Amino acid sequence: MTSQHVPKTAASEFIEIAKTVAAALLLALVLRVIFFQPFTIPSESMQPALLKGDYIIVSKYDYGWSAHSIPFSPPLFRGRILGKAPQRGDVVVFHLPRDKSVTYIKRLIGLPGDRIRVAGGQVFVNGRATPRRPLGMIEDPGAPWVRVMQYAEPKPNGRSYVTFDREPGHPGDDTEVFVVPRGHYFTMGDNRDNSLDSRWPQELGVGYVPAQNLVGKARFIMLSWKGGASIFKPWTWVMRFDASRAFHRLD
C-alpha cells in the first residue's frame, strides 16, 4: 500500500497561517489581560525609581481584574474579580479617573479611610509623619539645572524607596487634609515637586483613584533607553540603550 502526498493549495496554506496568527494573538491577549502588561514611562514624575524611557512590566493578578484589565476598558462589568487591596507604598498603574484612555503610574500613599496631609513637603498619614531620611543633594536627571534633595521613605514591608524634593514652598508641599473615600486610593509621584497626582483635584490632576481603575502593580524595569532614543531612529535603539537599568526590580 502506498500513500500519496496531496499538495496544499494556496488557499489552504493561507487558512493555516491565519489560524496560527489568530492563536498567537489570542494567547498574547490572554497573557496581557490575565498576567502581565508592558508600559513605557513618558514623564519624570516617578523619578528616581522610574526614568523617562523605562519599559516596565506590570502584573495584573496582584489586585484582581476589572474592566480596565482589558484593552480599551470595555464596560463589561463593574468592580473587581478576585479583588485584593494594594499595599501602601506600591507603585500602581491606573486609568485616570477623568479620562479612561489615559494611563498613569504613581506611588500609593493612602488607603480607604486614611487621612492624608502634606506639610513642608513631608507626608502625614493619619496624623503621623512618614519618616524620611535625607540622602544628600543631586541634580534632577530630568532637569540637570535643578538640584533636589533625596529622601529615603520606608514601606510597611521594611524596604524603602527614594523621593526627590526641591526647596520648600512648591505647589503641593502644604495641603489640606484629604480623607480617602471608601473604594478609592490616594497616590503621589516620587518626584514630589514634578508630579500631578492626588494632591490636585480630578479636573487638574488625579484626585482619588477608584479601585476599579487599577490596572496592576509595577514589578520591574525590563528595558530602558536614555534621552534621545526614538522609534524612528533605529540606530538609537542600541546607542541610547541603558543596560544598567535592564531587569531592575521596583521597590
Side-chain angles (χ1 to χ4, degrees):
M1 181 183 293
T2 61
S3 61
Q4 293 183 342
H5 175 71
V6 180
K8 294 182 179 179
T9 65
S12 64
E13 288 187 356
F14 176 80
I15 291 173
E16 286 192 15
I17 293 173
K19 287 181 178 179
T20 302
V21 171
L25 291 175
L26 180 60
L27 176 61
L29 178 62
V30 169
L31 291 175
R32 179 179 173 132
V33 170
I34 297 178
F35 295 107
F36 299 101
Q37 184 171 347
F39 288 92
T40 301
I41 302 302
S43 72
E44 294 87 10
S45 71
M46 278 298 293
Q47 291 178 347
L50 292 170
L51 303 182
K52 189 175 181 179
D54 285 346
Y55 188 77
I56 68 169
I57 299 298
V58 172
S59 60
K60 296 290 191 73
Y61 49 81
D62 285 281
Y63 310 138
W65 295 269
S66 74
H68 295 288
S69 303
I70 305 170
F72 309 112
S73 302
L76 300 178
F77 59 95
R78 292 187 60 82
R80 306 192 73 83
I81 298 174
L82 300 178
K84 291 173 284 187
Q87 300 297 309
R88 190 179 287 111
D90 285 357
V91 179
V92 297
V93 172
F94 56 91
H95 287 295
L96 194 62
R98 69 171 182 270
D99 186 350
K100 305 301 190 298
S101 67
V102 177
T103 305
Y104 267 34
I105 182 167
K106 300 291 180 186
R107 181 86 57 181
L108 194 144
I109 300 296
L111 303 174
D114 280 348
R115 300 172 63 86
I116 308 295
R117 179 172 68 95
V118 183
Q122 187 166 16
V123 177
F124 289 74
V125 180
N126 298 323
R128 305 181 69 173
T130 299
R132 58 177 187 168
R133 178 169 52 89
L135 301 176
M137 301 284 291
I138 64 166
E139 289 186 344
D140 187 327
W145 60 92
V146 175
R147 291 185 63 78
V148 294
M149 175 62 78
Q150 303 175 94
Y151 290 98
E153 296 187 4
K155 295 175 62 175
N157 63 7
R159 300 180 65 86
S160 63
Y161 54 91
V162 178
T163 63
F164 282 172
D165 194 21
R166 301 180 187 180
E167 68 276 2
H170 280 268
D173 278 349
D174 296 277
T175 72
E176 60 180 302
V177 176
F178 300 95
V179 181
V180 184
R182 180 180 178 182
H184 291 73
Y185 299 99
F186 188 96
T187 66
M188 292 176 64
D190 288 352
N191 194 350
R192 295 289 166 77
D193 293 319
N194 189 17
S195 173
L196 280 177
D197 45 45
S198 292
R199 289 173 289 177
W200 282 267
Q202 187 178 115
E203 297 75 21
L204 177 62
V206 172
Y208 301 115
V209 179
Q212 67 178 15
N213 282 42
L214 294 178
V215 174
K217 179 180 180 179
R219 283 291 185 175
F220 63 94
I221 301 167
M222 185 174 181
L223 302 169
S224 183
W225 285 267
K226 301 175 184 177
S230 171
I231 192 171
F232 302 109
K233 300 175 181 178
W235 61 91
T236 65
W237 303 350
V238 176
M239 296 179 63
R240 304 304 297 169
F241 178 67
D242 189 351
S244 67
R245 296 183 63 78
F247 302 102
H248 176 73
R249 192 179 80 170
L250 292 169
D251 288 321

